[in-house]
Amino acid sequence: MTIQDAATPPPPSKVSRFSGTVGPLGVGVAVLWLSIIVLLPLAALTATSFENGLSGFWDAVTAPGAVAALRITAIVSAIVALINVVFGTLVAWVLVRDEFPGKRFVNAIIDLPFALPTIVASIVLLSLYGPESPINVHLNATQPGLVVALAFVTLPFVVRSVQPVLIELEKDVEEAAASLGASNLTIFWKVVLPVLAPAIFGGAGLAFARAIGEFGSIILIGGNIRGETQVASQYIQQQLEMDRPVNAAAVSVVLLIIAFITLLVLRVLAQRSIRREETAA
């Protein structure tokens, strides 16, 4: 063996090793915890939904009541996501770029839907927009009422997704565009919006995923009218009350699939955005 051979380090082992600070014990605990909290319940739910076989699952999710509830849920949730795109971005812009009295208070109440029990929100909305509305606006048992309730519980998603991006956004490019004669609308559309787009889309996707499974905030103001205001979560509750757990589990699995696909698309788009930024840098 030569001196050069002795100084050459051995080739890396092909055996996979754990990297980081927690080691295999920490990874094992994390996997175990996620399995108990997430994977096992999801596996049990999926198994229940297929108790009557694939045909039974298909019959459950294609029943007229299930189709109507899923359709209403998807439409209302999409509308709520679009509303969040517009007003969530506007609120984030105001909180970052403007100064006004009570700004800290407004910034604090953005997270209120995360802390407030959703059934409380439903009670408040019913008292405000119900049959005895003090402002003479009656949204009880209507799809606009569903939109208002879901917009309340999903408010923080776009706002909190856009705010950090706006804070880190350099104003030099905006000032350069303004010095060249670009209008405020042109600056926002051509300069600011492309940077904010991934955050806006991500927040809207999270709002949509939250809205399709919401129950508490719409339980009172929604009315639970089949084919009109009954959303998927209420249909699931109805099937459980009628002692049809397989049907309830089947519709729940459909909601899980929709939410998973939404989050997966967001993940892929976020990774692509990061790669584009790294390439541009």
Side-chain angles (χ1 to χ4, degrees), residues 11 54 104 246:
L54 184 59
R104 292 184 177 180
V246 176

Side-chain angles (χ1 to χ4, degrees), residues 170-183 187 191:
E170 298 291 340
K171 295 184 179 180
D172 296 343
V173 180
E174 298 176 52
E175 294 173 355
S179 65
L180 294 174
S183 64
I187 293 173
V191 178

Side-chain angles (χ1 to χ4, degrees), residues 162-208:
V162 173
Q163 264 187 301
V165 181
L166 271 175
I167 293 173
E168 296 179 1
L169 184 63
E170 298 291 340
K171 295 184 179 180
D172 296 343
V173 180
E174 298 176 52
E175 294 173 355
S179 65
L180 294 174
S183 64
N184 291 334
L185 181 60
T186 301
I187 293 173
F188 178 79
W189 188 260
K190 298 292 185 180
V191 178
V192 178
L193 187 59
V195 179
L196 297 182
I200 294 173
F201 187 80
L206 292 174
F208 176 81

Side-chain angles (χ1 to χ4, degrees), residues 105-208:
F105 175 75
V106 173
N107 196 35
I109 66 173
I110 295 297
D111 295 325
L112 185 62
F114 285 150
L116 186 70
T118 53
I119 185 65
V120 176
S122 189
I123 295 173
V124 173
L125 293 173
L126 183 64
S127 63
L128 186 61
Y129 302 116
E132 300 179 359
S133 171
I135 59 176
N136 200 28
V137 177
H138 305 284
L139 299 178
N140 183 41
T142 63
Q143 292 189 9
L146 295 178
V147 171
V148 171
L150 294 178
F152 173 82
V153 297
T154 59
L155 169 66
F157 289 102
V158 173
V159 177
R160 294 313 188 201
S161 297
V162 173
Q163 264 187 301
V165 181
L166 271 175
I167 293 173
E168 296 179 1
L169 184 63
E170 298 291 340
K171 295 184 179 180
D172 296 343
V173 180
E174 298 176 52
E175 294 173 355
S179 65
L180 294 174
S183 64
N184 291 334
L185 181 60
T186 301
I187 293 173
F188 178 79
W189 188 260
K190 298 292 185 180
V191 178
V192 178
L193 187 59
V195 179
L196 297 182
I200 294 173
F201 187 80
L206 292 174
F208 176 81

Side-chain angles (χ1 to χ4, degrees), residues 205-206 208-210 212-213 252-266:
L206 292 174
F208 176 81
R210 167 67 187 275
I212 62 172
S252 300
V253 168
V254 173
L255 292 181
L256 285 173
I257 292 173
I258 295 174
F260 177 78
I261 292 175
T262 302
L263 297 178
L264 180 62
V265 170
L266 293 178

